[in-house]
Amino acid sequence: MREAAFAKQNKDKWLRFESVLKNNAQINPDELSELYLEVTDHLSYAQTFYPGSNTLHYLNGLSILAHQKIYKTKRESKSRFISFYTKEFPLFFSQYHKQLLITFLTFLLFSIVGAYSAATDGDFVRLILGDGYVNMTLENIEKGDPMAVYKDMNEIEMFLGITVNNIRVALMAFAYGILLGIGTFYILMQNAIMLGSFQYFFYEEGLLWESVRTIWIHGTIEISVIIIAGCAGLVIGNSILFPGTYTRLQSFVRGAKGGVKILISTIPFFILAGFLEGFVTRHTEMPDWIAILIIGSSLTLIIFYYLIYPIQLKRKYERKNTI
């Protein structure tokens, strides 16, 4: 849909909303909140399809004005928070599936490299994982509990420690994007090689399924959102390398804002992954079907929220805003 048609179709709503805000007109708070959410939906649409346009600048200013006047109470702030995760971010993220595919393929490639290196070099696993971890795991295998490492700490300490560490890795993958994306690829490579060699180590010990059913209870979400954080880093790198019609600084600022949005979206998932690792993964005695259910549900959640739902939302808004 062309920008002019989009503006013509919705300008009456925007002007009415602007009039209400500037004139401090008394209307129902729920109605005002609903108007605000509709304007932010249009803002997200404009960010996706009309970047740098006058329409985008107008809606952004209107949204800021509305936020200053409306969203000051706890109830309204909660609504804004929900709106970000259910509408604003998924629609925004629909434009970055190409970058997500690149980071996924990069991670997959280096995971294979890690497994292959472990298979062809007997010392590679120790080089990557460290002698301490390998020796400890071998001792646990001899004791009949190869996944005992997930039981060493109490639940809350492990949950907090893992969550903080995962967020740290995500921040690095994001921030290193400023190095033209090379830093992001390095972080992805580092973690992927570690994962590949780690899985081959258990395969070599005849414990591949035991490791998969245990590790991927939390790893499905954990690895997925590290890849998504890598996507955020790649957005920054691309904004520097390919500024398009913007100045390089303007492009970088836009890329940084977009990357931050992507990174913020991962925080609840990192918390969920930390919870699973701290409280659930340690129960290695659980039946296989429960582990498979958790892994499958986690994968479905990630695929739906970051792939299927953004596409659905984008198509919905395209239909809605097509004359």
Side-chain angles (χ1 to χ4, degrees), residues 121-131 134 193-194 197:
D121 183 349
D123 295 326
F124 187 77
V125 172
R126 290 183 176 275
L127 176 65
I128 297 298
L129 301 179
D131 287 331
V134 172
I193 288 176
M194 186 180 298
S197 60

mmCIF file of all heavy atoms in Angstrom, residues 121-131 134 193-194 197:
data_model
loop_
_atom_site.group_PDB
_atom_site.id
_atom_site.type_symbol
_atom_site.label_atom_id
_atom_site.label_comp_id
_atom_site.label_asym_id
_atom_site.label_seq_id
_atom_site.Cartn_x
_atom_site.Cartn_y
_atom_site.Cartn_z
ATOM 1 N N ASP A 121 39.721 -34.703 16.163
ATOM 2 C CA ASP A 121 40.828 -34.320 17.041
ATOM 3 C C ASP A 121 40.460 -34.684 18.474
ATOM 4 O O ASP A 121 39.569 -34.076 19.077
ATOM 5 C CB ASP A 121 41.096 -32.814 16.916
ATOM 6 C CG ASP A 121 42.302 -32.365 17.749
ATOM 7 O OD1 ASP A 121 42.795 -33.158 18.578
ATOM 8 O OD2 ASP A 121 42.733 -31.207 17.582
ATOM 9 N N GLY A 122 41.142 -35.679 19.035
ATOM 10 C CA GLY A 122 40.810 -36.162 20.366
ATOM 11 C C GLY A 122 40.965 -35.137 21.463
ATOM 12 O O GLY A 122 40.353 -35.260 22.531
ATOM 13 N N ASP A 123 41.771 -34.106 21.246
ATOM 14 C CA ASP A 123 41.999 -33.093 22.274
ATOM 15 C C ASP A 123 41.099 -31.865 22.121
ATOM 16 O O ASP A 123 41.137 -30.953 22.952
ATOM 17 C CB ASP A 123 43.462 -32.627 22.240
ATOM 18 C CG ASP A 123 44.433 -33.742 22.609
ATOM 19 O OD1 ASP A 123 44.060 -34.582 23.452
ATOM 20 O OD2 ASP A 123 45.550 -33.777 22.043
ATOM 21 N N PHE A 124 40.294 -31.836 21.055
ATOM 22 C CA PHE A 124 39.519 -30.633 20.764
ATOM 23 C C PHE A 124 38.488 -30.334 21.845
ATOM 24 O O PHE A 124 38.310 -29.180 22.247
ATOM 25 C CB PHE A 124 38.823 -30.766 19.405
ATOM 26 C CG PHE A 124 38.140 -29.507 18.954
ATOM 27 C CD1 PHE A 124 38.870 -28.453 18.425
ATOM 28 C CD2 PHE A 124 36.761 -29.368 19.074
ATOM 29 C CE1 PHE A 124 38.247 -27.288 18.018
ATOM 30 C CE2 PHE A 124 36.127 -28.205 18.668
ATOM 31 C CZ PHE A 124 36.869 -27.158 18.138
ATOM 32 N N VAL A 125 37.814 -31.381 22.331
ATOM 33 C CA VAL A 125 36.778 -31.175 23.345
ATOM 34 C C VAL A 125 37.383 -30.572 24.606
ATOM 35 O O VAL A 125 36.830 -29.643 25.203
ATOM 36 C CB VAL A 125 36.055 -32.496 23.672
ATOM 37 C CG1 VAL A 125 35.131 -32.314 24.869
ATOM 38 C CG2 VAL A 125 35.254 -32.969 22.465
ATOM 39 N N ARG A 126 38.543 -31.069 25.009
ATOM 40 C CA ARG A 126 39.201 -30.522 26.199
ATOM 41 C C ARG A 126 39.650 -29.081 25.963
ATOM 42 O O ARG A 126 39.626 -28.249 26.886
ATOM 43 C CB ARG A 126 40.393 -31.396 26.587
ATOM 44 C CG ARG A 126 39.990 -32.758 27.140
ATOM 45 C CD ARG A 126 41.186 -33.571 27.589
ATOM 46 N NE ARG A 126 40.772 -34.836 28.196
ATOM 47 C CZ ARG A 126 40.436 -34.974 29.475
ATOM 48 N NH1 ARG A 126 40.505 -33.932 30.292
ATOM 49 N NH2 ARG A 126 40.064 -36.150 29.943
ATOM 50 N N LEU A 127 40.067 -28.789 24.740
ATOM 51 C CA LEU A 127 40.483 -27.432 24.411
ATOM 52 C C LEU A 127 39.307 -26.464 24.526
ATOM 53 O O LEU A 127 39.464 -25.351 25.040
ATOM 54 C CB LEU A 127 41.045 -27.395 22.982
ATOM 55 C CG LEU A 127 41.452 -26.023 22.435
ATOM 56 C CD1 LEU A 127 42.624 -25.460 23.230
ATOM 57 C CD2 LEU A 127 41.784 -26.112 20.952
ATOM 58 N N ILE A 128 38.135 -26.877 24.090
ATOM 59 C CA ILE A 128 36.963 -26.004 24.077
ATOM 60 C C ILE A 128 36.254 -25.967 25.431
ATOM 61 O O ILE A 128 35.901 -24.893 25.937
ATOM 62 C CB ILE A 128 35.970 -26.455 22.980
ATOM 63 C CG1 ILE A 128 36.614 -26.340 21.601
ATOM 64 C CG2 ILE A 128 34.689 -25.626 23.038
ATOM 65 C CD1 ILE A 128 37.016 -24.932 21.217
ATOM 66 N N LEU A 129 36.024 -27.130 26.024
ATOM 67 C CA LEU A 129 35.243 -27.210 27.263
ATOM 68 C C LEU A 129 36.105 -27.130 28.522
ATOM 69 O O LEU A 129 35.585 -26.829 29.600
ATOM 70 C CB LEU A 129 34.420 -28.499 27.286
ATOM 71 C CG LEU A 129 33.432 -28.692 26.129
ATOM 72 C CD1 LEU A 129 32.699 -30.027 26.284
ATOM 73 C CD2 LEU A 129 32.432 -27.547 26.069
ATOM 74 N N GLY A 130 37.392 -27.412 28.389
ATOM 75 C CA GLY A 130 38.286 -27.375 29.547
ATOM 76 C C GLY A 130 38.444 -28.734 30.198
ATOM 77 O O GLY A 130 37.482 -29.525 30.252
ATOM 78 N N ASP A 131 39.641 -29.000 30.700
ATOM 79 C CA ASP A 131 39.908 -30.288 31.344
ATOM 80 C C ASP A 131 39.025 -30.509 32.560
ATOM 81 O O ASP A 131 38.562 -31.631 32.818
ATOM 82 C CB ASP A 131 41.380 -30.367 31.762
ATOM 83 C CG ASP A 131 42.314 -30.544 30.572
ATOM 84 O OD1 ASP A 131 41.875 -31.137 29.561
ATOM 85 O OD2 ASP A 131 43.469 -30.079 30.640
ATOM 86 N N VAL A 134 35.480 -31.656 31.486
ATOM 87 C CA VAL A 134 35.510 -32.981 30.881
ATOM 88 C C VAL A 134 35.762 -34.053 31.933
ATOM 89 O O VAL A 134 35.070 -35.082 31.980
ATOM 90 C CB VAL A 134 36.575 -33.061 29.769
ATOM 91 C CG1 VAL A 134 36.730 -34.497 29.270
ATOM 92 C CG2 VAL A 134 36.193 -32.138 28.605
ATOM 93 N N ILE A 193 30.426 -23.607 18.208
ATOM 94 C CA ILE A 193 31.485 -24.619 18.269
ATOM 95 C C ILE A 193 31.458 -25.340 19.613
ATOM 96 O O ILE A 193 31.618 -26.570 19.685
ATOM 97 C CB ILE A 193 32.861 -23.967 18.024
ATOM 98 C CG1 ILE A 193 32.985 -23.564 16.548
ATOM 99 C CG2 ILE A 193 33.992 -24.914 18.412
ATOM 100 C CD1 ILE A 193 34.266 -22.835 16.211
ATOM 101 N N MET A 194 31.219 -24.585 20.675
ATOM 102 C CA MET A 194 31.117 -25.191 21.997
ATOM 103 C C MET A 194 29.969 -26.190 22.050
ATOM 104 O O MET A 194 30.112 -27.312 22.563
ATOM 105 C CB MET A 194 30.914 -24.103 23.058
ATOM 106 C CG MET A 194 30.927 -24.617 24.484
ATOM 107 S SD MET A 194 30.680 -23.281 25.692
ATOM 108 C CE MET A 194 32.129 -22.276 25.357
ATOM 109 N N SER A 197 30.817 -29.403 19.827
ATOM 110 C CA SER A 197 31.795 -30.293 20.459
ATOM 111 C C SER A 197 31.212 -30.953 21.713
ATOM 112 O O SER A 197 31.493 -32.120 22.011
ATOM 113 C CB SER A 197 33.068 -29.509 20.811
ATOM 114 O OG SER A 197 32.779 -28.453 21.703
#
